[in-house]
Amino acid sequence: MYTIVVADDEEELRRAIIRKIDWESIGFQVVGEAENGIEALELVERMEPDLLLTDIRMPFVSGIELARQVREVRPTTQIAFLSGFDEFSYAQQAIQYNIISYMLKPITMVDLTEELKKIKLKIDGIFAEFDARKHDNPDLQQFFLPLLLDDYASFEGQDREELLQEQAVGNGFLKDRNNAFQYAVLAITVEDTNGKNRTRPELVHSVDMILQKYMKHYSFAMDGRIIAVLAATTSTFDRYLHIAVGEMVQSTERILKMHCHIGVSRIREHLGECHEAYRGAMSALGYCTPGESGIHYIADEERDNTMDMELAAECVTQMENLIRGGSREELENYLKDVFGKLEVQQDAALKCKFLIFRMSSALIRIAYTVTEDSALLQRFAMLEGPIRESRDRFTALCLEVWELVNAGKKKSSQILCEKAKQIIDKEYGDPSLSLVGVSNSIHVSPNYLSALIKKETGSSFVDLLTKKRIETARELVLGSSMKMREIAERCGYSDQHYFSYCFKKYCGVSPNAMRQEKE
């Protein structure tokens, strides 16, 4: 059963649609109705419907703008437009938002029912295709595997980049060498509700199905993960990357009923830097929390540095992941188990020193990204002695770095939220102020900032912005003689009717009524 929100400012038509259609028989359940674009967007964000059926001409927020904003917050929600014949050219603007259906008014309930059946079949197809199989391109995989994994290239500089570009064109990844592309890597895993990795190779097709709508890419399965190499212009990455990864997570949760973890690398200028991008994506993946979906950008989690460490062994990777995303108890128990197994092995002392050396390398890197405490870094040299003493000192260091990482997360979250609120406090009068614009200003991803604001304040970005605008408007209504039109413009509302609607929704009375009550 698919869920649907119906939005139309004509109450009689909206109620007729909801009342007269046998929704259950055609595979839908109505979970909300809206009389304007703002209500529709709020419902989409709260109810997460599979389909939004909306008039293209809506009060406050047009259908086109509504489609754009829905793509920002809920890219998996399909959109169907109802429109008058004379609005067809206007509706063509919506093509970029992947509209699933466009219907002309007036429309009978019989015709609308038939069109909804067709839409249901299209959504069925989308769900089925998301879980379909795909045959890999072995030539491209042979090109990308060494590019991502090899620490030691046999050729460097411009010659290497030109050769890689030539090979990418020959393998069909790029059309030509004269492009303005930048590159990024995604590392993706899927787990069930019990926390078990379910990232099967067939899910490559699911990733492709989404990415192909937004940018050039190549994805493949590797060791329980899906790796995707992305190529796009700066503007395409800025506009669509956060939408694409958001759609992956939402589709995995809605269609597969599983959690999705995505690590996102930094954007790299050259194809030859894909190895660094891969390492960044894998590090970002380590920040994901088991038992819940998450998108982590390495640029959000760690400050950039030029350290290029050797790829860690499995126990080193596990230690890193527990420091970033596990609990203190899990980290302590894991280290106890690792060193416990070493104690009973032949050449235990030598193996212990070797393992500590490898793990220290990874641990120093983590500590370096979160602290400038030179005294802490110097203590990594104090690991000589019997196995148990080395284990205890090393465990204490691991737990100290774990504390730093988690304290850094909390501090970083608070700082970023405070920066976002400062921008809102300063620029609330700008009608174009948005989550994407603010996230660009403070150099984090929109996904990350949205999640942080929700976690730190319990409110969405839109809620914070609306609160600031209306509270300021309330002060001006009660404490000044400004006209309502002037107050609306001062507070970021270009439409006075929209301002009055938001004011009444927030304060319980219209601005005019509030001023009259004061007098």
Side-chain angles (χ1 to χ4, degrees):
M1 187 73 69
Y2 299 120
T3 54
I4 181 173
V5 166
V6 179
D8 199 303
D9 61 320
E10 297 181 44
E11 183 177 4
E12 185 177 348
L13 175 59
R14 185 178 74 248
R15 297 306 302 161
I17 290 173
I18 294 172
R19 186 176 63 254
K20 293 183 179 181
I21 291 178
D22 186 355
W23 294 100
E24 185 173 349
S25 68
I26 59 173
F28 286 98
Q29 176 189 1
V30 177
V31 294
E33 59 176 296
E35 65 178 0
N36 57 61
I38 294 298
E39 285 186 357
L41 185 61
E42 291 174 349
L43 279 171
V44 167
E45 191 167 9
R46 187 171 75 252
M47 304 303 297
E48 300 181 349
D50 298 305
L51 178 65
L52 170 64
L53 175 63
T54 178
D55 185 9
I56 203 167
R57 293 284 188 183
M58 293 284 283
F60 309 146
V61 175
S62 72
I64 302 298
E65 177 61 16
L66 176 59
R68 187 193 68 78
Q69 294 191 40
V70 166
R71 282 288 168 263
E72 291 280 347
V73 301
R74 189 69 187 169
T76 52
T77 293
Q78 302 298 323
I79 301 171
F81 275 141
L82 288 169
S83 173
F85 181 78
D86 59 346
E87 296 164 344
F88 179 73
S89 59
Y90 174 71
Q92 287 179 312
Q93 301 174 45
I95 292 174
Q96 62 183 308
Y97 302 118
N98 301 314
I99 303 304
I100 199 169
S101 178
Y102 179 83
M103 294 165 277
L104 290 177
K105 292 181 179 180
I107 187 169
T108 67
M109 293 302 107
V110 172
D111 289 341
L112 179 56
T113 299
E114 290 304 311
E115 186 61 30
L116 286 165
K117 289 179 181 178
K118 295 177 184 178
I119 292 173
K120 197 260 185 188
L121 291 175
K122 290 180 182 178
I123 299 178
D124 285 343
I126 292 170
F127 274 50
E129 186 180 357
F130 187 81
D131 200 19
R133 294 175 178 268
K134 174 208 172 186
H135 297 290
D136 231 334
N137 182 333
D139 291 336
L140 269 178
Q141 187 161 340
Q142 289 174 15
F143 169 68
F144 275 113
L145 277 175
L147 181 61
L148 295 175
L149 301 180
D150 192 0
D151 267 321
Y152 307 102
S154 58
F155 44 89
E156 300 294 339
Q158 188 62 32
D159 290 343
R160 178 179 185 236
E161 183 65 19
E162 289 179 359
L163 180 57
L164 289 174
Q165 292 271 346
E166 184 178 320
Q167 291 174 341
V169 172
N171 286 315
F173 181 65
L174 299 178
K175 288 185 177 180
D176 56 66
R177 291 166 51 186
N178 300 318
N179 61 70
F181 282 163
Q182 294 178 313
Y183 305 91
V185 173
L186 307 180
I188 306 159
T189 61
V190 172
E191 68 174 30
D192 61 24
T193 53
N194 295 318
K196 187 172 182 178
N197 190 325
R198 298 293 186 183
T199 317
R200 61 188 189 276
E202 292 84 355
L203 290 176
V204 170
H205 179 69
S206 309
V207 172
D208 287 343
M209 178 183 167
I210 291 172
L211 287 177
Q212 68 186 2
K213 297 187 292 186
Y214 301 105
M215 61 193 70
K216 183 69 178 176
H217 72 284
Y218 175 70
S219 53
F220 59 95
M222 184 178 71
D223 195 23
R225 296 179 291 274
I226 305 297
I227 305 300
V229 182
L230 314 179
T233 62
T234 302
S235 61
T236 297
F237 274 131
D238 288 344
R239 187 173 184 182
Y240 293 119
L241 180 57
H242 67 284
I243 296 176
V245 293
E247 186 172 349
M248 286 183 204
V249 169
Q250 293 171 15
S251 296
T252 302
E253 291 181 329
R254 178 67 181 90
I255 299 173
L256 304 182
K257 311 298 184 187
M258 290 193 283
H259 301 303
C260 181
H261 306 299
I262 303 179
V264 185
S265 76
R266 288 182 172 86
I267 307 300
R268 298 290 180 175
E269 295 291 331
H270 305 292
L271 191 58
E273 296 177 294
C274 280
H275 171 69
E276 289 78 7
Y278 170 75
R279 291 292 304 280
M282 291 299 297
S283 294
L285 192 63
Y287 283 97
C288 292
T289 303
E292 60 183 58
S293 294
I295 302 166
H296 290 267
Y297 294 68
I298 194 63
D300 294 337
E301 303 290 356
E302 299 178 0
R303 60 188 176 91
D304 200 4
N305 63 77
T306 57
M307 299 178 72
D308 187 17
M309 298 296 189
E310 180 181 0
L311 184 64
E314 180 58 32
C315 61
V316 177
T317 301
Q318 181 67 9
M319 180 201 70
E320 289 185 271
N321 290 345
L322 287 173
I323 288 175
R324 292 189 178 103
S327 69
R328 197 177 193 277
E329 182 180 2
E330 287 172 336
L331 174 61
E332 193 169 9
N333 288 338
Y334 177 73
L335 294 172
K336 182 178 179 181
D337 180 62
V338 168
F339 287 101
K341 291 177 180 177
L342 276 179
E343 285 183 308
V344 299
Q345 294 184 19
Q346 189 176 6
D347 298 326
L350 181 61
K351 290 180 180 179
C352 178
K353 289 181 179 180
F354 176 73
L355 182 60
I356 284 179
F357 174 79
R358 293 290 302 277
M359 297 175 85
S360 296
S361 176
L363 195 60
I364 288 171
R365 187 178 68 82
I366 298 173
Y368 180 74
T369 63
V370 296
T371 183
E372 296 179 356
D373 185 357
S374 58
L376 173 65
L377 298 178
Q378 290 170 1
R379 287 168 53 196
F380 283 89
M382 303 167 57
L383 297 172
E384 291 294 329
I387 292 177
R388 293 194 178 185
E389 291 182 13
S390 297
R391 177 199 67 192
D392 291 344
R393 286 196 293 269
F394 185 74
T395 299
L397 275 174
C398 282
L399 295 176
E400 189 169 346
V401 174
W402 181 91
E403 295 281 1
L404 280 170
V405 169
N406 282 272
K409 286 181 184 178
K410 184 175 181 180
K411 183 179 179 181
S412 175
S413 299
Q414 293 170 342
I415 291 173
L416 288 172
C417 285
E418 188 58 36
K419 285 183 178 179
K421 288 192 284 187
Q422 288 173 357
I423 292 174
I424 289 174
D425 288 343
K426 182 180 179 181
E427 302 181 18
Y428 67 90
D430 180 359
S432 66
L433 189 63
S434 67
L435 174 65
V436 173
V438 173
S439 65
N440 288 338
S441 296
I442 58 179
H443 309 295
V444 297
S445 65
N447 311 80
Y448 187 66
L449 182 59
S450 178
L452 282 185
I453 290 175
K454 192 71 175 179
K455 183 177 180 180
E456 288 293 317
T457 69
S459 302
S460 67
F461 172 85
V462 173
D463 291 336
L464 291 182
L465 178 58
T466 301
K467 181 179 180 182
K468 174 62 180 178
R469 285 173 167 171
I470 298 303
E471 288 185 348
T472 303
R474 186 176 185 276
E475 293 174 3
L476 294 173
V477 167
L478 295 176
S480 77
S481 58
M482 292 175 63
K483 296 179 180 179
M484 293 305 168
R485 176 181 54 79
E486 296 172 334
I487 294 175
E489 291 176 353
R490 172 79 66 87
C491 296
Y493 295 98
S494 54
D495 185 321
Q496 186 177 336
H497 296 293
Y498 177 35
F499 163 67
S500 296
Y501 170 83
C502 293
F503 191 97
K504 184 174 182 180
K505 185 175 181 180
Y506 186 87
C507 298
V509 295
S510 69
N512 284 318
M514 180 174 286
R515 179 170 281 178
Q516 289 172 3
E517 288 176 3
K518 178 197 172 188
E519 297 172 353

